[in-house]
Amino acid sequence: MKLIAFNKINLVGLTLAISSSAIAQSNSDGRPVYTPNDKIYSKTITPLLKSAPRSLAAQKLAPSSFPDEAEILCSYDQCTFGLTRGLVLGGDVFGMAYAPLRQYFDPNWESGDLYLIDVFGGFQILRDVDNKSFMNAQIGYRRISYSNNGNTIADQGISLKVNYSAQITPVFLFGISFATYQANNATTTDSNSILTSSTNHANFSKSAGYFYRISQKYPTYQISLPGDLEVANWGSEDTGLIAPIRVYAHVEPFYIQNNINFVYDNINLKKQEQNFGIRVAGTSSFESQQGDKAGRYAFLCSLGLDVQTSVFSSTNTSANADADLPARNWISPYVNIAASWQF
C-alpha cells in the first residue's frame, strides 16, 4: 500500500512538472497567453486605454522584431520567414512580383521591361523581453534592371539594414533604423546617349527617370527615428474579441539620400537627391490568442502622410551629360498593411 501511494505521489509530481514545463515554453517568447475562457476584462487605465499597454515590437510587428521560428510576416516593404529562433530569410516579395505588372497598373509607366531581385538573410541580435529592448540586422543582394527602346539601365549591390527599439514608458516605443544600398555604378547599353547632344538622349532621359523612380524605394542611405505611442485600446468587453484592438500614434523623422551614377571613360553623370522629412501616421494592431504557438496571427494597418524636402545636386558630371530625374513629392500618402502567421 505504501508503495502504491508513493508511486501515485510521484506520478502526480511528474504530471505537474510536465505541465509547468509546457506553460513555461509557451510563454518563453514573452507574449501574453489568452484563452477563450480568459478574455481581457481589465479595469480602465484611462478613458481610452482599457487594457494593459503592449508595444508593436512585443507583437513582432515593428521593424526591430523579426518573426519567431516557423512564423512569417509580410508587409508592403518585405516578407520575412523565421527559420530558427532569431534567424530569418526574406525579400521584397511584393516589389519583385509587381515589377513585371507595372505596365498594367503604373500610371507613370513608359514602356519596356522591368525586373527586380531583392533577397536577404537576417538575425535577431537582441530580444530582451524583460527590459523590452529589440535589435536585428539583415544583409542581402539587390538588382534592378529596366530595358526600354533598346537601352538597358541596371545596377546591383549589397543591402544592409539595422533596427533597434526600446520601450521608454509602458505606452511609448522609440527606435532607430539605418538602411543602405551599396550599388555599383549604374550601367547603360548606350553610353553616348547620356550626352544631351546625342540623338538618343531623350529616350535615355526617360528611361533613367523611370529607373530612378523605381530605385527611390531603395535609398543609398536612410536613417529614421520611429516612435509609437499607444493612445487607445479596447478589450474584450468592448469588442467581444479574444484580445484587445490597439491604436498607436506614429511619428518618424527621417533622412534619405539617393545616388545614381553613370561612370565611363570620358562621360560621367552623377546625381544625388537628399530628403529631410517626417512621417505621421495612425496605426492599429490586433494579436490573436497566444496559448499555443501554432496558429497565432497578428495584423497591422497604418495610414498617414510623408512630408519632406527634396534637393538635387550633381558632382563630377560632364558638362553636356544630364538626365531628367523625378524628385520625391513634398507630401505623399503612407499606407502599410502587415500580417503574421505562426505555422
Side-chain angles (χ1 to χ4, degrees), residues 14 43 52 59 75 92 131 136 197 207 214 246 253 288 295 317:
L14 181 61
K43 295 181 179 179
Q59 299 174 65
S75 67
D92 183 2
N131 295 317
N136 58 31
S197 57
S207 298
I214 299 302
R246 305 178 186 276
S288 72
T317 296

Side-chain angles (χ1 to χ4, degrees), residues 93-116 145-146 210 214:
V93 175
F94 175 80
M96 290 188 288
Y98 182 52
L101 302 177
R102 282 182 176 270
Q103 57 183 309
Y104 305 109
F105 302 104
D106 188 349
N108 297 305
W109 178 260
E110 294 287 342
S111 61
D113 299 296
L114 172 71
Y115 81 84
L116 167 71
S145 178
Y146 176 57
Y210 191 78
I214 299 302

Side-chain angles (χ1 to χ4, degrees), residues 25-239:
Q25 289 178 7
S26 68
N27 290 332
S28 62
D29 64 351
R31 293 193 178 193
V33 177
Y34 307 139
T35 63
N37 296 323
D38 186 27
K39 298 181 179 181
I40 293 180
Y41 289 99
S42 58
K43 295 181 179 179
T44 299
I45 300 172
T46 73
L48 296 178
L49 292 174
K50 297 189 176 182
S51 63
R54 184 161 167 79
S55 73
L56 290 173
Q59 299 174 65
K60 299 180 183 175
L61 292 172
S64 60
S65 186
F66 277 149
D68 207 344
E69 182 178 356
E71 185 175 22
I72 188 170
L73 170 66
C74 277
S75 67
Y76 168 74
D77 291 326
Q78 61 189 34
C79 285
T80 311
F81 179 72
L83 296 178
T84 63
R85 194 170 183 86
L87 185 65
V88 302
L89 288 178
D92 183 2
V93 175
F94 175 80
M96 290 188 288
Y98 182 52
L101 302 177
R102 282 182 176 270
Q103 57 183 309
Y104 305 109
F105 302 104
D106 188 349
N108 297 305
W109 178 260
E110 294 287 342
S111 61
D113 299 296
L114 172 71
Y115 81 84
L116 167 71
I117 300 175
D118 186 7
V119 293
F120 62 84
F123 185 72
Q124 188 73 41
I125 300 171
L126 174 66
R127 196 192 300 275
D128 189 341
V129 176
D130 294 331
N131 295 317
K132 298 180 175 59
S133 298
F134 301 84
M135 182 178 181
N136 58 31
Q138 65 185 55
I139 185 170
Y141 170 78
R142 183 177 293 143
R143 177 175 173 82
I144 309 171
S145 178
Y146 176 57
S147 301
N148 185 27
N149 292 324
N151 191 5
T152 299
I153 300 175
D155 70 10
Q156 62 182 342
I158 302 299
S159 64
L160 174 68
K161 184 182 292 184
V162 180
N163 303 293
Y164 173 79
S165 70
Q167 193 153 349
I168 307 302
T169 72
V171 296
F172 181 61
L173 180 73
F174 177 77
I176 181 169
S177 295
F178 169 79
T180 181
Y181 173 37
Q182 295 298 310
N184 59 358
N185 294 323
T187 59
T188 173
T189 52
D190 184 5
S191 59
N192 289 326
S193 65
I194 298 175
L195 302 175
T196 55
S197 57
S198 171
T199 56
N200 291 328
H201 178 73
N203 288 332
F204 166 79
S205 185
K206 286 183 179 181
S207 298
Y210 191 78
F211 175 86
Y212 182 76
R213 187 185 297 276
I214 299 302
S215 66
Q216 282 177 324
K217 183 183 176 182
Y218 313 102
T220 307
Y221 297 103
Q222 180 172 354
I223 300 175
S224 61
L225 302 172
D228 293 282
L229 177 68
E230 187 169 353
V231 295
N233 60 46
W234 295 272
S236 298
E237 66 270 28
D238 300 306
T239 65

